[in-house]
Amino acid sequence: MTAPVPTTRGLTSNEAAARLRQFGPNILQTRHATPWWVMFARQFASALILVLFVAAGVALVMGQLVDAAAIGAIVVLNGCLGFIQEWRAERTLESLRAMLTPHAVVLRDGREQEIDAETLVPGDQVILSAGDKVPADIGLEDVAGLRIDESVLTGESTSLSKTVAPSDTGDKRSSFAYMGTSVVEGRARGQVMATGMGTEFGKIAAMTAALPPKPTHLQKKVGKLGQNLGLVALGLAALIIALGWLGGKSPGDMILTGLSLAVAIVPEGLPAVVTVTLAIGANAMVKRRALSRRLQATETLGAASVICTDKTGTLTENEMTVNRIWLEPFTIDVTGTGYTPSGQFETAGDVIDHDNCPLLKEFLTAAMTCSYARIFEQDGMWEMTGQPTEAALVVAARKAGLQPPDDDPIIREVPFTSERKRMSVMVRDDDRYRVYAKGAPEILLRACTHIASESGPLPLDKKQTLKVKQAYEDIASQGLRVLAVAAKQVPSSEITDDEMENGLTLIGLTGIIDPPRAEVHDAIATATAAGIDIIMITGDGPDTALAIARMLDLPGETTVTGDMLEDMDDATLSDCLDKKTIFARTAPHHKMRIVKLLQARGRIVAMTGDGVNDAPALKHADIGIAMGIRGTDVARDSSDLVLLDDNFASIVGAIEEGRRQYQNIRKFVRYLLSSNAGEVTAIVTNILIGGPIIFLPIQILWMNLVTDGLTALSLGLEPGEADVMRQPPRSPREDIVGANGLIIIVLFALYTGSASLFAFYQVLDQGVVIAQTVAFTTMIFLEKFSVFAFRSLTLPWSTIGFFSNPWLLGALFVTLGAQVAAVYWPPLQAVLRTVAFDAQIWVLILLVVAPVIIVPEAVKLIRMWITGPKQRAAA
């Protein structure tokens, strides 16, 4: 959209109001807000929930109102739990958005005024200053030293110098300020050319919103499990009803038996247990500084086999730091990181007394004076305004005890431009004037005739020039950004710019870097030990990317730039991915290409991002991870997980939590299925031998919902096993149950089904009701004590600790107590159709239960002994 020619008075209020009606508010419609009822309804969109609905409907038709109500209650509970977590996550994101209160300074009605950025319209005259977020796409008309950080839009970490609008054939980007970018320094005025979804920011947001939501790994697996269980339940129930009818049994009894069988096969408590476990895990993730926007996100992250990560702010502090200073004739290392002005100066490991080093103080004074950045302490944290590189110079000066003057001492400036690659300022020095300059070494060196030394200025001859160049190359080879600092005395301020910037004395060089976060090194080591590949994809240069990778021991000695990527076919790029390559100077579409290629190779990909340019790749990755602090709304809305501290270490923590969740989900899925399979074994065997109904539908629901559900939930709270981050990522094709799990389920089912049948027929001569009660109670006790076998599939109690999961012991106490009440308390007797029995029968029950405790523990101990000390040490 194009606005009319502006005037310096700006629009009138009436004109602005009319255009606001015409163009709409200046907001990004990244997605339509999901109504609460839609969010609630989609919690029921799974095959397993559908099976439960069918079971409840059949029970209702058969007049089993209690059964129908019990199944319906568990379905609603599951939906409520999922809805609450998703709603809370969305509200947290809304809070993050509320922290950003965008405003804009405009010329309206002939005067400057601050307005809500949402009310900006095309044609508005906007004034930009250092620290501002650009509120719309603006064509620049008046510029003073303007530099803008466009990393959220382009991925480039270096701020760009802006100019006044060129001719129609000129470079549009250099004369435009784009919505969502940040003003690093300078001031400008310009006309709003596009707002809202018409901006470059908005176009990417629209493309991202059009991408369909992707099902998670766990949703696929649970959905497949639900479909299989539903088919088995319906097929087996129909077969039993048909066989009974052909055998001459009562149709009503057989339909009741078929319903019992269907209810027994389907683990009614599984959806709720999965949801509650994931919800508890999501809350645990918030403590690890990560917000899960979908319940299944963390579990899917646990399956990640590769992390594609940005560098700036994720692997690094996002705070530029002076790391090294070169002076003639020595090199100084500077300790401390970030904007906190604490650290010291060292050479060859010895601390330098900066007060007794005039050359160092002269260098730092010149660097600080030639910088507009300022640092300040706020709420116990050191912050900065201005350009990060200049802030690093100010911090270094503060470490030497130097303080910037209260009043701006600069009386004249020749500003930095991308063409000149240097800047110079002039300050008053008593009755004379002093010029300070900083810039790219190869540029500033040409303007110098002398070099400062401890004995005074020396001629910058060929030998000294080679020494400076060697020092510059040595610092740059370590991935540091190198700046040269120079100065000279002048008698008058009435000199030309060329006279200001020539005949300088080089004081020294400095190496600046955004240092790695302290905790990231160990996090990368943990991820590597867990078999997870880490790929750095950054907009920074290859030298800097490689230097950070080496500091972090990140695998990879080869860098590929975005330009090189453009010339590669997929086969060549695949070879690069196999060789642990680091990607530098990349554009957003390069990230998308890398993600797609990795997924095509069967990898589960986690991708980090913060800018609007990252949003398509975030949404396409298996797990999109957005930055909570420096991330854009578009990136956060496209993500599955939001890092509240922008820290890579939090990703590794989330992976560990995700693996713990998946381990526990597998444990309780196997546990629930083994319990249900035992019930099915008893029911089918009893039908085949022509016996009376062994379990009533309400009793099966009691087993599956009340007792099994609570026990399985406590199993979901099992602490992570010691070697959880020493195992390779699981295969995307791996089923939740698995072949080994199926064998375990069958073995437990055969024993628990046979044991309950044995107890049933031992007392059948005392009546069917008491026999049903005994079989019912035996199955409950078998299922409760078998849970200990599922706490770990390989490790015995002596290793994991009997009391390490107090929730499980509590659940065991409650559920066994509830079953005793079901036998002896009249109200429950009436509901569950049970009768009391004597102590002799309890002895029978405990005898048949003992093997499910003893045998699995004995097998684990023997296996652990055979595998030797290696597994015992890992455990």
Side-chain angles (χ1 to χ4, degrees):
M1 58 188 73
T2 303
V5 177
T7 68
T8 53
R9 290 181 55 81
L11 301 174
T12 66
S13 297
N14 290 337
E15 288 173 330
R19 294 185 186 189
L20 185 61
R21 289 191 295 271
Q22 178 184 356
F23 296 111
N26 179 36
I27 57 175
L28 293 179
Q29 297 169 346
T30 55
R31 57 186 176 85
H32 296 292
T34 304
W36 69 266
W37 53 271
V38 172
M39 192 179 292
F40 182 70
R42 69 186 178 202
Q43 308 303 319
F44 304 94
S46 79
L48 204 53
I49 295 295
L50 181 60
V51 170
L52 293 182
F53 271 127
V54 171
V58 173
L60 192 62
V61 170
M62 291 297 299
Q64 304 294 323
L65 300 181
V66 175
D67 298 12
I71 298 174
I74 203 67
V75 168
V76 172
L77 174 63
N78 174 77
C80 290
L81 291 170
F83 168 75
I84 290 169
Q85 170 59 25
E86 192 170 332
W87 183 263
R88 286 175 60 188
E90 291 304 309
R91 298 289 70 75
T92 303
L93 286 179
E94 289 297 332
S95 299
L96 286 172
R97 295 188 188 100
M99 291 168 62
L100 307 172
T101 54
H103 292 83
V105 177
V106 299
L107 282 171
R108 280 191 184 171
D109 299 319
R111 62 185 178 85
E112 285 190 22
Q113 50 186 294
E114 186 176 283
I115 64 169
D116 190 326
E118 290 188 6
T119 63
L120 276 178
V121 295
D124 259 324
Q125 291 283 309
V126 176
I127 296 172
L128 301 173
S129 301
D132 287 350
K133 283 276 190 184
V134 179
D137 283 1
I138 298 171
L140 300 173
E141 298 176 346
D142 189 10
V143 170
L146 184 68
R147 294 187 66 82
I148 291 183
D149 176 4
E150 295 185 350
S151 60
V152 298
L153 194 63
T154 66
E156 297 180 11
S157 61
T158 305
S159 59
L160 301 177
S161 179
K162 297 292 183 174
T163 59
V164 175
S167 64
D168 292 340
T169 59
D171 179 15
K172 175 183 175 182
R173 182 182 172 190
S174 67
S175 61
F176 255 69
Y178 293 100
M179 182 183 193
T181 59
S182 303
V183 179
V184 173
E185 63 181 38
R187 186 174 169 87
R189 176 180 57 80
Q191 179 187 188
V192 174
M193 307 301 291
T195 59
M197 300 303 286
T199 63
E200 294 300 313
F201 213 95
K203 291 172 185 175
I204 300 178
M207 179 178 66
T208 303
L211 293 173
K214 56 186 181 295
T216 67
H217 182 69
L218 183 63
Q219 284 174 321
K220 295 174 185 176
K221 297 301 180 185
V222 172
K224 182 179 178 182
L225 178 64
Q227 290 172 358
N228 293 339
L229 288 175
L231 291 174
V232 170
L234 295 175
L236 195 54
L239 178 62
I240 293 300
I241 291 171
L243 290 174
W245 179 69
L246 291 174
K249 294 193 176 182
S250 165
D253 286 346
M254 292 316 301
I255 291 175
L256 186 61
T257 302
L259 176 61
S260 298
L261 193 60
V263 170
I265 292 173
V266 178
E268 288 83 1
L270 179 58
V273 172
V274 171
T275 301
V276 171
T277 300
L278 293 176
I280 292 171
N283 289 332
M285 279 313 308
V286 172
K287 296 177 183 177
R288 291 181 180 241
R289 311 302 299 154
L291 173 68
S292 177
R293 297 189 63 234
R294 297 288 183 269
L295 278 185
Q296 295 86 357
T298 306
E299 180 280 328
T300 305
L301 183 58
S305 58
V306 59
I307 303 173
C308 297
T309 179
D310 190 14
K311 176 187 71 67
T312 304
T314 308
L315 299 176
T316 65
E317 297 277 4
N318 197 25
E319 296 181 351
M320 300 298 287
T321 303
V322 170
N323 183 267
R324 186 158 300 173
I325 296 172
W326 179 87
L327 305 172
E328 170 61 36
F330 49 81
T331 299
I332 299 171
D333 293 318
V334 186
T335 65
T337 61
Y339 299 133
T340 302
S342 60
Q344 55 193 21
F345 302 88
E346 301 176 351
T347 180
D350 297 325
V351 178
I352 295 175
D353 182 0
H354 49 74
D355 289 328
N356 293 320
C357 187
L359 191 57
L360 175 61
K361 297 197 79 166
E362 182 182 2
F363 175 88
L364 293 172
T365 299
M368 180 176 65
T369 306
C370 206
S371 300
Y372 284 100
R374 292 293 179 264
I375 63 170
F376 55 92
E377 192 172 14
Q378 181 173 310
D379 298 328
M381 299 289 291
W382 283 89
E383 308 286 347
M384 74 91 185
T385 60
Q387 239 189 345
T389 300
E390 293 191 346
L393 298 174
V394 173
V395 171
R398 292 282 294 272
K399 290 176 181 178
L402 300 177
Q403 295 284 346
D406 294 333
D407 298 324
D408 186 359
I410 297 173
I411 60 174
R412 185 173 169 185
E413 176 186 357
V414 183
F416 178 95
T417 67
S418 56
E419 294 77 25
R420 288 169 24 83
K421 295 184 178 179
R422 60 176 171 174
M423 70 169 290
S424 303
V425 299
M426 182 184 291
V427 298
R428 183 180 290 276
D429 184 13
D430 295 330
D431 58 344
R432 304 185 72 185
Y433 299 90
R434 192 159 183 81
V435 173
Y436 294 114
K438 74 174 191 302
E442 68 274 16
I443 301 296
L444 202 59
L445 200 57
R446 298 176 198 159
C448 295
T449 56
H450 290 76
I451 183 171
S453 72
E454 290 183 307
S455 59
L458 301 174
L460 191 61
D461 56 21
K462 186 176 181 180
K463 180 180 178 181
Q464 288 290 352
T465 301
L466 287 174
K467 186 183 291 186
V468 173
K469 288 183 177 179
Q470 183 63 51
Y472 158 56
E473 291 171 0
D474 287 346
I475 297 173
S477 68
Q478 298 172 50
L480 279 68
R481 182 183 180 188
V482 186
L483 286 179
V485 176
K488 75 172 183 178
Q489 202 86 14
V490 293
S492 169
S493 62
E494 301 299 324
I495 57 176
T496 65
D497 289 350
D498 285 342
E499 290 172 329
M500 266 184 69
E501 294 192 316
N502 280 293
L504 297 167
T505 296
L506 180 71
I507 306 175
L509 307 172
T510 182
I512 302 174
I513 195 168
D514 178 12
R517 291 178 180 263
E519 61 275 24
V520 168
H521 184 278
D522 289 344
I524 286 176
T526 301
T528 302
I532 302 168
D533 291 331
I534 300 169
I535 300 175
M536 183 195 296
I537 308 176
T538 179
D540 272 344
D543 289 340
T544 301
L546 195 57
I548 293 296
R550 287 171 177 164
M551 291 180 192
L552 295 171
D553 289 334
L554 185 64
E557 287 294 326
T558 305
T559 55
V560 170
T561 64
D563 290 340
M564 295 164 66
L565 250 175
E566 293 288 350
D567 298 329
M568 287 184 181
D569 57 19
D570 286 350
T572 307
L573 180 54
S574 290
D575 290 339
C576 289
L577 293 171
D578 289 335
K579 295 174 183 176
K580 314 295 186 187
T581 302
I582 295 165
F583 295 92
R585 295 285 186 222
T586 55
H589 65 278
H590 295 140
K591 292 185 178 183
M592 178 72 89
R593 184 183 174 195
I594 291 170
V595 168
K596 287 183 176 179
L597 190 57
L598 287 167
Q599 289 176 324
R601 301 172 69 188
R603 308 296 295 275
I604 295 182
V605 183
M607 164 67 77
T608 71
D610 56 0
V612 63
N613 57 321
D614 294 325
L618 287 175
K619 202 157 189 178
H620 198 277
D622 296 286
I623 287 290
I625 305 170
M627 304 298 116
I629 298 174
R630 59 190 170 86
T632 60
D633 282 346
V634 178
R636 287 194 288 263
D637 285 338
S638 302
S639 69
D640 304 287
L641 203 73
V642 179
L643 295 185
L644 301 179
D645 58 359
D646 293 7
N647 193 336
F648 180 86
S650 297
I651 301 176
V652 178
I655 289 174
E656 183 175 358
E657 175 63 24
R659 289 190 173 192
R660 184 195 70 82
Q661 286 184 23
Y662 186 76
Q663 272 189 348
N664 289 349
I665 288 171
R666 292 196 81 181
K667 290 173 187 177
F668 65 62
V669 165
R670 291 177 177 184
Y671 166 70
L672 288 175
L673 291 180
S674 69
S675 298
N676 287 30
E679 295 162 18
V680 170
T681 300
I683 293 171
V684 172
T685 303
N686 198 45
I687 291 172
L688 293 177
I689 63 178
I693 294 175
I694 185 171
F695 302 129
L696 298 175
I698 188 62
Q699 293 171 345
I700 296 172
L701 281 175
W702 174 268
M703 288 189 279
N704 291 0
L705 294 179
V706 179
T707 60
D708 282 358
L710 186 59
T711 312
L713 179 58
S714 64
L715 199 58
L717 298 174
E718 192 72 28
E721 295 183 16
D723 63 347
V724 67
M725 290 301 283
R726 292 195 290 271
Q727 300 295 324
R730 66 180 184 270
S731 168
R733 294 181 293 275
E734 180 182 273
D735 288 327
I736 292 179
V737 175
N740 290 338
L742 187 59
I743 293 171
I744 293 171
I745 290 169
V746 170
L747 291 175
F748 270 89
L750 289 174
Y751 180 77
T752 57
S754 301
S756 58
L757 273 171
F758 173 77
F760 179 77
Y761 281 101
Q762 283 295 108
V763 297
L764 184 58
D765 57 351
Q766 299 180 37
V768 173
V769 176
I770 192 170
Q772 288 175 336
T773 304
V774 171
F776 173 40
T777 304
T778 301
M779 182 60 78
I780 288 284
F781 271 64
L782 285 165
E783 291 176 353
K784 293 318 104 193
F785 283 102
S786 69
V787 74
F788 289 107
F790 291 90
R791 288 190 62 192
S792 172
L793 303 178
T794 56
L795 303 176
W797 292 351
S798 58
T799 300
I800 62 177
F802 184 78
F803 297 101
S804 60
N805 186 356
W807 297 102
L808 182 62
L809 299 178
L812 193 68
F813 178 80
V814 170
T815 52
L816 292 179
Q819 183 59 27
V820 172
V823 174
Y824 295 105
W825 190 39
L828 278 179
Q829 286 179 330
V831 173
L832 297 171
R833 299 162 204 172
T834 60
V835 294
F837 50 76
D838 58 31
Q840 187 175 357
I841 294 178
W842 279 111
V843 174
L844 171 67
I845 292 173
L846 294 177
L847 285 174
V848 298
V849 167
V852 300
I853 303 173
I854 298 169
V855 174
E857 286 302 302
V859 170
K860 291 177 187 176
L861 284 169
I862 293 169
R863 181 193 298 152
M864 193 170 179
W865 182 259
I866 292 173
T867 55
K870 184 175 181 181
Q871 181 175 340
R872 293 197 293 272

